[in-house]
Amino acid sequence: SAVISQKPSRDICQRGTSLTIQCQVDSQVTMMFWYRQQPGQSLTLIATANQGSEATYESGFVIDKFPISRPNLTFSTLTVSNMSPEDSSIYLCSAITGRGQPQHFGDGTRLSIL
Amino acid sequence: AQTVTQSQPEMSVQEAETVTLSCTYDTSESDYYLFWYKQPPSRQMILVIRQEAYKQQNATENRFSVNFQKAAKSFSLKISDSQLGDAAMYFCAYRSAVYGNKLVFGAGTILRVKS
């Protein structure tokens, strides 16, 4: 299984600023994803990070707010832009190593906006 | 669209006893995967067990086993000989084998283990 590292593990940010979260996988993966988990709730998919092209966003999430990059097979970033207190959540990166394989997750980034 | 329902917001079990967590799902697809993930307070999502829909045999991983009823669209998790370290939030999740590979999660069940 893949080992997924996320940075930072947590941050406290000011309203109106932006933060970029990094996700590094220790092996090549076929697909990478970004999820949001609001306090006390389940995980919601933000987008699928596509290598070398624009991410595929789920309903309710837009590129201007959550720009995503994936320059290669093992690395992706998620930026949370123009943050507001409603963006306070845990953001998780996940990846699949191959067809039929389960998704593995990073440890998440706990983001608090003041 | 697929949906996953976990009807038990919270469950408790005595240490060394057995507990079953419920999960139902709705899909029109015939080929898919089902998963149980565990999320302790450390927030890491840990894969507990998975089931391929085309397999009739229920998956088992040590003390964890599932009861997969495809016709009823039910996928319950049984934890035997419960340990204090099993205390966590448990999520049931669905993934299509054909479209997209994204996971659809249930709302989660908090499992408390009493010593």
Side-chain angles (χ1 to χ4, degrees):
Chain A
S1 64
V3 175
I4 303 175
S5 302
Q6 264 185 253
K7 292 193 299 187
S9 60
R10 60 176 61 225
D11 208 339
I12 300 172
C13 301
Q14 295 294 322
R15 185 192 302 251
T17 62
S18 299
L19 178 75
T20 296
I21 303 168
Q22 298 181 0
C23 178
Q24 178 72 56
V25 189
D26 69 343
S27 58
Q28 291 189 355
V29 295
T30 56
M31 302 185 78
M32 295 180 75
F33 307 87
W34 287 97
Y35 289 84
R36 182 175 73 181
Q37 185 177 24
Q38 294 182 304
Q41 297 189 24
S42 186
L43 283 74
T44 301
L45 181 64
I46 298 172
T48 302
N50 300 309
Q51 188 211 349
S53 64
E54 192 171 289
T56 304
Y57 289 84
E58 297 298 304
S59 176
F61 298 96
V62 295
I63 188 171
D64 290 346
K65 176 67 175 177
F66 298 102
I68 288 170
S69 77
R70 188 182 172 191
N72 57 52
L73 288 173
T74 64
F75 184 77
S76 179
T77 66
L78 166 73
T79 298
V80 185
S81 303
N82 188 25
M83 289 183 284
S84 66
E86 294 71 34
D87 295 321
S88 296
S89 293
I90 296 171
Y91 293 85
L92 297 108
C93 172
S94 76
I96 299 176
T97 56
R99 179 174 171 78
Q101 295 301 307
Q103 280 194 27
H104 295 280
F105 287 82
D107 288 347
T109 297
R110 184 183 295 275
L111 187 57
S112 300
I113 291 89
L114 302 178
Chain B
Q2 293 79 21
T3 58
V4 177
T5 301
Q6 293 179 248
S7 59
Q8 306 155 317
E10 189 171 327
M11 292 284 285
S12 292
V13 63
Q14 197 70 34
E15 199 174 5
E17 297 296 310
T18 296
V19 64
T20 298
L21 308 184
S22 301
C23 173
T24 59
Y25 57 95
D26 187 28
T27 184
S28 58
E29 299 175 344
S30 60
D31 195 9
Y32 50 87
Y33 304 96
L34 296 165
F35 304 88
W36 279 98
Y37 283 89
K38 167 186 176 182
Q39 188 180 41
S42 65
R43 78 173 177 262
Q44 184 184 15
M45 291 287 287
I46 302 166
L47 176 66
V48 175
I49 200 165
R50 74 168 185 164
Q51 175 81 42
E52 290 89 346
Y54 65 85
K55 290 186 178 179
Q56 292 187 337
Q57 187 173 5
N58 290 323
T60 300
E61 288 287 342
N62 301 315
R63 297 183 294 109
F64 299 88
S65 62
V66 298
N67 183 5
F68 173 48
Q69 301 290 329
K70 190 172 184 178
K73 297 180 182 174
S74 172
F75 183 60
S76 61
L77 174 70
K78 186 172 82 170
I79 305 174
S80 304
D81 185 25
S82 297
Q83 301 174 1
L84 294 176
D86 294 334
M89 175 76 90
Y90 285 81
F91 292 101
C92 178
Y94 170 100
R95 190 177 94 199
S96 171
V98 179
Y99 303 109
N101 282 301
K102 64 182 183 183
L103 284 170
V104 178
F105 285 91
T109 297
I110 297 172
L111 177 65
R112 304 193 191 281
V113 180
K114 303 174 186 175
S115 59

